[in-house]
Amino acid sequence: MTITDYSPAAPATPPAPPTPAQSGLRESATFDRATIADIQRAASTGIYDIRGWGAKRRLPHFDDLLFLGASMSRYPLEGYRERCNTAVVLGDRHASKPLHLDIPITIAGMSFGALSGQAKEALGTGASAVGTSTTTGDGGMTSEERGHSKTLVYQYLPSRYGMNPDDLRRADAIEVVLGQGAKPGGGGMLLGQKITERVAAMRTLPVGIDQRSACRHPDWTGPDDLEIKIGELREITDWEKPVYVKVGASRPYYDTALAVKSGADVVVVDGMQGGTAATQQVFIENVGIPTLAAIPEAVRALRDLGMHRKVQLIVSGGIRTGADVAKAMALGADAVAIGTAALIALGDNDPRYQAEYEALGSTAGFYDDFQDGRDPAGISTQDPALSSRLDPVEGGRRIGNYLRVLTMEAQTIARACGKSDLRHLEPDDLVALTVEAAAMAKVPLAGTTWIPGAPSSTGVVV
C-alpha cells in the first residue's frame, strides 16, 4: 500500500543578496569603512578616540625579513648536541650589580593600574621561572610584584606617580622613561574608572578621576640635566643598580647617542608597534617610526661612539615570535622586551570570552578598549569580580611557557645560521623581501646585493 505525503513542500531558500562587488560597488581606499566609522563617531561625540593596544596599520616589520640558513658556505649547528647560548648581562658599564639574565627576552613596563594585581603577579612569576626580568610601569611598585619578580626593573617616569626612594633601592635596575613607542612625545593616561582606592593611594590621586601624566620630566630639559639626574639615581642606590634610558622611536640615532652621553648603562628603544594601555588613536597610528627602522639607527649611534655591546640595547615594539627575537638581535640588539604579546599569552582576547566581548561591542581578537577597565579576561581591569578570573599561578605558567618557546625558536634559527650564541647573529644573516624593509633594516633585498641607499651597493643579482 502506497502512502502519499501531502505535507507542504519546504519553501525554497531565497538567493543570497549580491555582495557589494557583485553589485558593481567599489570601496574607497582613502575613505574605507574604518575611516568612515571614525568620522561618524567623531561627528557624533565631538571627542577623539582613546584606545589601548598599538598601531594597527600595516608597517614594515620583522615579517619582511628572512634568515639565510647555513648550507655550504656556512655550517649549521646540531640542535640536539651543540649549545646555543641565550644568557645576557645588562648594565655592566657602571653598575656594581648588573643584571644576569638567562634569556634575552624581558617583560616591558606595564603598570599596576593599567593591569590588575593578578596580571602583574603572573608576569613576575612566569618571568622568574625562566630567569628574566619584569618592569613596574607607571604608578610605583606593589608588594606582590616585588615578591614574585626575581629581577625587577623600576620605571622612573615624568609623572613621578608612586615614586619612592626606598623602592628604587629595592629594585634591581632603574629605567628612566623619556618616551614610549605608541606615543613618543605624549604622556600617559589612566582613566577614572580604573582609579580605585588602592591605585589612587599609590599615585596620590583622587579616586575615580582621570589621570593624565606629563609628557616630559619636571626637573630636566635636556641631556646635560639628565646626566645630573642619572648621577642622583646612582647615588641613591649606591651605584649598584643599572640605569636604563627608554625612548620612543622617532629620532633613534640622536636619542641613543644622547642617552649614552648622559651615562645610561642600557638604552631601550620602543618602536611604534609597541602597545599602550590608553592613548589617542591618532597618536598611535601617526607618531613615531617602525621598530624595524629604529634598530639599525640606534646601533649605528652606539658603533659611532665605540659603545656597541658596552652599552646594551633593548628593543621593543611588536615582538611576537622567536623569529622576531632573532631578527632584532641580528640587527644589533642585545635583548628585547615584550608587552602586548605577554598579555595575549595571559589570555587577552581569548575566544572563551567571545560573548562578553560582543556585549562590549567588540569580538575576540579585536578587543582594544583597555582604558575602560571592563576586560573580561581580568587583565586590564581593576574590577575585583573581573580580575579574580585570572589565576596568577596558571597565568605565570602560561607566561613561562611562552617565554621558553620564544627562546627555543630563536635558538633554532641561530643554530641554522651556524651561531652558538644568539648575540652572534648579524645583519649578514638577513635579507629583505621588500625595498622598504631593505632600506630600513639596511640588509640586501633577497636575491641581490642591493641595499637601498647604501653607497657601495652594486645591484648585482647573486
Side-chain angles (χ1 to χ4, degrees):
M1 180 177 180
T2 303
I3 299 175
T4 304
D5 185 1
Y6 293 101
S7 59
T13 303
T19 65
Q22 289 170 335
S23 298
L25 303 177
R26 182 179 176 189
E27 183 174 5
S28 169
T30 304
F31 291 92
D32 60 13
R33 278 166 282 186
T35 302
I36 291 171
D38 283 343
I39 293 171
Q40 292 169 338
R41 185 209 53 78
S44 174
T45 65
I47 59 175
Y48 51 64
D49 192 18
I50 295 174
R51 65 171 177 85
W53 206 277
K56 295 187 176 183
R57 64 191 299 173
R58 173 74 173 95
L59 294 165
H61 199 38
F62 296 115
D63 290 342
D64 297 315
L65 301 181
L66 296 175
F67 277 100
L68 299 173
S71 52
M72 177 62 77
S73 57
R74 296 189 183 186
Y75 288 99
L77 300 185
E78 176 55 64
Y80 296 97
R81 297 180 182 178
E82 297 178 276
R83 282 182 53 83
C84 179
N85 182 52
T86 63
V88 62
V89 177
L90 300 176
D92 56 353
R93 181 187 183 193
H94 295 298
S96 62
K97 294 182 178 180
L99 304 190
H100 293 260
L101 305 182
D102 293 337
I103 63 172
I105 309 161
T106 68
I107 303 295
M110 295 177 282
S111 74
F112 170 69
L115 303 187
S116 65
Q118 289 87 336
K120 293 294 284 180
E121 181 179 330
L123 292 172
T125 300
S128 298
V130 297
T132 192
S133 64
T134 55
T135 311
T136 61
D138 204 351
M141 179 191 296
T142 66
S143 57
E144 299 96 326
E145 184 172 31
R146 177 65 279 188
H148 289 87
S149 296
K150 181 180 178 181
T151 304
L152 180 62
V153 180
Y154 186 96
Q155 281 197 332
Y156 186 80
L157 291 105
S159 70
R160 300 293 192 270
Y161 289 136
M163 211 294 287
N164 184 331
D166 290 331
D167 287 341
L168 289 175
R169 299 184 187 99
R170 293 172 62 210
D172 299 292
I174 300 166
E175 183 172 287
V176 181
V177 179
L178 304 184
Q180 188 176 336
K183 48 190 175 187
M189 291 183 179
L190 189 65
L191 301 191
Q193 53 266 40
K194 297 175 80 171
I195 308 291
T196 62
E197 289 188 3
R198 185 181 182 191
V199 173
M202 289 179 63
R203 302 186 185 216
T204 318
L205 290 169
V207 175
I209 302 300
D210 292 355
Q211 171 236 294
R212 303 293 180 104
S213 298
C215 64
R216 63 175 187 262
H217 287 261
D219 48 359
W220 76 75
T221 56
D224 293 335
D225 296 337
L226 177 56
E227 185 174 1
I228 295 170
K229 178 57 65 176
I230 288 177
E232 291 177 0
L233 295 173
R234 294 195 195 284
E235 291 294 329
I236 290 172
T237 58
D238 198 25
W239 288 76
E240 292 181 346
K241 320 294 183 182
V243 177
Y244 301 9
V245 172
K246 178 178 180 177
V247 297
S250 53
R251 296 178 177 86
Y253 180 88
Y254 296 107
D255 289 342
T256 299
L258 290 173
V260 173
K261 187 265 180 192
S262 299
D265 296 299
V266 178
V267 178
V268 183
V269 176
D270 192 22
M272 73 175 290
Q273 289 98 323
T276 180
T279 200
Q280 302 96 323
Q281 175 165 277
V282 70
F283 219 136
I284 295 173
E285 298 289 359
N286 295 284
V287 181
I289 65 173
T291 305
L292 193 64
I295 303 173
E297 286 297 284
V299 171
R300 183 168 70 90
L302 292 171
R303 285 194 169 129
D304 286 352
L305 294 170
M307 299 302 286
H308 189 225
R309 305 300 190 197
K310 297 177 183 178
V311 171
Q312 287 79 44
L313 175 65
I314 298 177
V315 169
S316 54
I319 303 292
R320 307 151 300 173
T321 66
D324 292 346
V325 174
K327 290 170 185 178
M329 296 186 73
L331 292 174
D334 295 277
V336 303
I338 60 170
T340 302
L343 302 187
I344 295 170
L346 275 180
D348 178 46
N349 272 286
D350 194 302
R352 62 180 162 163
Y353 299 116
Q354 175 64 22
E356 292 180 69
Y357 287 129
E358 290 178 354
L360 296 173
S362 186
T363 189
F366 292 79
Y367 181 71
D368 57 18
D369 288 325
F370 301 158
Q371 76 284 352
D372 286 345
R374 298 186 290 169
D375 181 5
I379 298 170
S380 58
T381 182
Q382 296 301 311
D383 184 318
L386 293 174
S387 61
S388 65
R389 295 179 174 183
L390 179 61
D391 178 356
V393 175
E394 172 61 15
R397 185 191 69 82
R398 292 175 62 88
I399 290 295
N401 283 344
Y402 177 55
L403 290 169
R404 289 185 188 97
V405 170
L406 292 185
T407 304
M408 289 188 290
E409 288 177 340
Q411 286 177 298
T412 296
I413 288 173
R415 288 192 184 99
C417 294
K419 306 300 170 68
S420 60
D421 192 307
L422 289 183
R423 292 207 301 168
H424 293 170
L425 289 165
E426 56 191 329
D428 282 352
D429 295 316
L430 295 170
V431 293
L433 290 173
T434 67
V435 173
E436 292 84 358
M440 290 181 183
K442 297 178 173 54
V443 300
L445 191 65
T448 79
T449 59
W450 179 45
I451 302 175
S456 60
S457 296
T458 64
V460 177
V461 176
V462 294

